[in-house]
Amino acid sequence: MNVSVVLFTSDLRLHDQPALRAALEGGRHVVPLFVRDRAVERSGFAVPNRLAFLADCLRDLDAGLRERGGRLIVRSGDVVEEVCGVAAETDADEVHLAADVSAYAHRREEGLRRALEAAGRRLFVHDTVTAAVAPGTVAPAASGHFAVFTPYYRQWSRQPLREPLDAPRAVRVPDGVGSEELPVRSAVTGVSEGLAEGGERAARERLTGWLRAGVAAYEDRHDDLAGDATSRLSPHLHFGALSPVEAVHRARRAGGPGGEAFVRQLAWRDFHRQVLAARPEAASADYRTKHDRWRTERTAGDDIEAWREGRTGYPIVDAAMRQLRHEGWMHNRGRLLTASFLAKTLYVDWRVGARHFLDLLVDGDVANNQLNWQWMAGTGTDTRPNRVLNPVTQGRRHDPDGVYVRRWVPELSGVSGPAVHEPWKLRGLDRAALDYPDPIVELSEGLARFKRARGQE
Ligand code: FAD
């Protein structure tokens, strides 16, 4: 009996799953394996929102495998030891894995390769499982990766994409392979109340619904905070319950300016992945240092706490921070303006903000989170690193009637219209009765501090 192991990581699906399809080739038996990796748990990356969503994904993956005659095998421990152990138990001669970009993923891959080869087994690593266009596929002549999005996107768009693969019809798992119980969402404590449901089924339904009813208006409405008119596919893409290749194909077929604008956003995901693949240290070190002497937990503790709690006195910032806590997700416009507020207006180290986002975001992703934070902090790939978003202007532009603010900041529910963005200017209402804080910083002072720090005066 020929046996392959498929190690599922950020690719928790059956449709368009090249690693699984390759493992099944030639009628092989397959061990579909997920390892609850102790190293990830110890790193602090395994936070309640993502653990709960992961539990949904694993249950759904198991259900899908069972419909095809298989099941998911779950083990906990050191990933290399567990994979080698399962391969030895089942006498598997091949292990299949999706390529990934973080420093940790590189170490995992190397560790697996060494240990498997020493035991006479082969590791196959598959590109275009977790990215539509794999890192390194397009690169400028002078260096290994693109540092500017627009030329990257031009080349990205010209790349031929492989056709999405169907889900396999049958999966035969060797008898007698032991598995732990699948984790359950209800056993995870500290989960955000409004956390979305995970799993491939939910992911595919969302994509289909989005392409039918949402994407057409995406170009015009993607920044409309109250309208919530983006796809909300990010958690599904993060866990790989949805294939990025399939999402691009289907969005292109949907066509129109909305489809193209949406595909462009998907390219941003690949852009950050190719930056991180080339510069793994950018997860924690400035990509392009500006020699900032940031304020930190020690010097700006109260400001940081107010930002985390959504009590800065800037309603649009507070609304977005509260959405993050309540849903484990935040609208992109909210992410941009809250990050600008922390890193630039408060001049706090971007790593403090990135950590808080990673503690809560269900789509929290090293490449997307750290590099978007660096973008907003002006230490990353933004070609205008010193731009500062004004939270009042942003609020008036992207939440003109104040609907988003009132949704998340109930203290301001009695304030109608755009006045909600500047409650300190209210006339005729007892401001003290609002129980809403005064701004923790004057915008002009924050701007002056930032400009001084960046030598812009
Ligand atoms: P849509 O607007 O529907 O976009 C479709 C998909 O394109 C998204 O699901 C996402 O996969 C991708 N995408 C969109 N914008 C970006 C972007 N700027 N960079 C990379 N990919 C993008 N995204 C994450 O997936 N994980 C993160 O941890 C994360 N952290 C962020 C932190 C900051 C400070 C900022 C400014 C952005 C961050 N983003 C992150 C990017 C973006 O905000 C989210 O991907 C998006 O809001 C998810 O919502 P959506 O699925 O409705 O997006």
Side-chain angles (χ1 to χ4, degrees):
M1 181 171 70
N2 290 324
V3 180
S4 318
V5 174
V6 183
L7 177 63
F8 284 90
T9 55
S10 302
D11 51 348
L12 304 176
R13 63 176 183 269
L14 296 177
H15 292 81
D16 194 40
Q17 177 38 295
L20 175 62
R21 288 303 291 262
L24 285 162
E25 211 137 279
R28 287 171 154 259
H29 282 64
V30 165
V31 185
L33 175 66
F34 183 83
V35 178
R36 301 179 68 178
D37 189 338
R38 288 274 147 74
V40 174
E41 279 166 21
R42 273 198 305 267
S43 72
F45 196 74
V47 298
N49 285 341
R50 288 194 295 281
L51 282 177
F53 200 88
L54 171 67
D56 290 349
C57 290
L58 295 179
R59 298 221 140 233
D60 202 44
L61 184 57
D62 182 59
L65 286 163
R66 283 179 192 274
E67 281 165 19
R68 293 164 174 83
R71 66 198 167 97
L72 183 66
I73 308 298
V74 178
R75 301 274 174 103
S76 304
D78 173 79
V79 67
V80 175
E81 279 172 25
E82 293 303 321
V83 172
C84 290
V86 168
E89 275 169 47
T90 55
D91 203 19
D93 56 350
E94 297 181 354
V95 173
H96 294 261
L97 169 73
D100 217 335
V101 291
S102 67
Y104 171 70
H106 288 307
R107 283 199 303 278
R108 177 177 62 198
E109 187 184 317
E110 271 323 296
L112 278 170
R113 190 183 311 284
R114 263 199 311 275
L116 288 166
E117 282 177 2
R121 306 183 210 284
R122 291 184 66 192
L123 178 69
F124 294 88
V125 179
H126 301 269
D127 271 340
T128 72
V129 182
T130 62
V133 174
T137 311
V138 294
S143 79
H145 71 286
F146 276 99
V148 180
F149 178 72
T150 307
Y152 171 77
Y153 180 56
R154 220 174 289 128
Q155 290 217 21
W156 184 97
S157 303
R158 288 195 208 116
Q159 289 307 302
L161 281 194
R162 61 174 177 75
E163 281 301 314
L165 303 164
D166 291 334
R169 288 229 182 90
V171 176
R172 285 185 302 161
V173 178
D175 292 337
V177 189
S179 173
E180 293 168 10
E181 294 278 309
L182 293 174
V184 279
R185 172 194 270 238
S186 57
V188 185
T189 54
V191 175
S192 291
E193 239 171 89
L195 189 76
E197 185 195 349
E200 183 172 16
R201 239 169 273 253
R204 298 186 72 74
E205 274 172 27
R206 179 158 281 280
L207 178 65
T208 302
W210 165 248
L211 295 177
R212 196 188 316 116
V215 75
Y218 182 71
E219 198 188 18
D220 295 335
R221 297 194 54 213
H222 66 275
D223 269 335
D224 171 3
L225 278 160
D228 203 3
T230 64
S231 70
R232 286 187 178 245
L233 284 167
S234 53
H236 302 296
L237 288 161
H238 171 70
F239 284 91
L242 185 67
S243 148
V245 170
E246 184 178 348
V248 172
H249 270 293
R250 289 179 58 184
R252 279 189 178 146
R253 275 207 302 277
E260 202 36 59
F262 176 66
V263 167
R264 195 170 195 273
Q265 287 315 109
L266 292 168
W268 269 106
R269 194 173 167 272
D270 288 359
F271 173 73
H272 291 313
R273 295 176 78 79
Q274 56 98 44
V275 173
L276 190 71
R279 297 271 305 274
E281 73 283 1
S284 55
D286 289 346
Y287 178 79
R288 282 192 187 118
T289 185
K290 299 287 182 297
H291 304 288
D292 288 292
R293 299 176 67 182
W294 299 109
R295 296 164 79 225
T296 61
E297 210 81 58
R298 198 174 51 75
T299 50
D302 290 348
D303 286 353
I304 295 170
E305 203 43 31
W307 177 81
R308 285 192 187 119
E309 294 300 321
R311 296 204 42 93
T312 65
Y314 286 96
I316 200 76
V317 172
D318 294 344
M321 294 306 292
R322 294 184 198 190
Q323 178 180 29
L324 172 63
R325 197 171 283 283
H326 183 81
E327 294 190 359
W329 185 87
M330 194 199 284
H331 191 287
N332 181 59
R333 180 51 52 183
R335 298 186 203 208
L336 290 166
L337 63 92
T338 54
S340 169
F341 188 80
L342 186 80
K344 289 177 170 165
T345 306
L346 295 178
Y347 198 54
V348 167
D349 193 333
W350 63 265
R351 281 157 282 242
V352 172
R355 180 68 253 172
H356 180 69
F357 270 33
L358 283 185
D359 284 346
L360 288 169
L361 279 176
V362 62
D363 61 26
D365 180 288
V366 174
N368 281 346
N369 191 58
Q370 309 306 86
L371 294 171
N372 271 299
W373 266 96
Q374 294 229 41
W375 166 280
M376 268 329 300
T379 59
T381 55
D382 189 359
T383 48
R384 288 168 55 206
N386 293 325
R387 74 174 106 186
V388 179
L389 301 182
N390 177 316
V392 176
T393 318
Q394 288 282 307
R396 287 177 173 275
R397 186 174 304 148
H398 301 299
D399 183 31
D401 300 320
V403 174
Y404 179 74
V405 164
R406 281 189 293 277
R407 185 180 301 157
W408 294 109
V409 187
E411 304 96 293
L412 298 176
S413 59
V415 184
S416 54
V420 80
H421 293 298
E422 292 172 281
W424 55 91
K425 285 194 182 162
L426 285 176
R427 305 262 182 279
L429 248 184
D430 182 3
R431 271 187 44 210
L434 290 176
D435 184 31
Y436 185 70
D438 287 333
I440 58 171
V441 61
E442 284 293 331
L443 295 181
S444 54
E445 280 171 24
L447 188 61
R449 173 174 51 201
F450 178 67
K451 284 188 164 173
R452 256 194 324 276
R454 289 280 167 97
Q456 296 285 302
E457 278 178 330

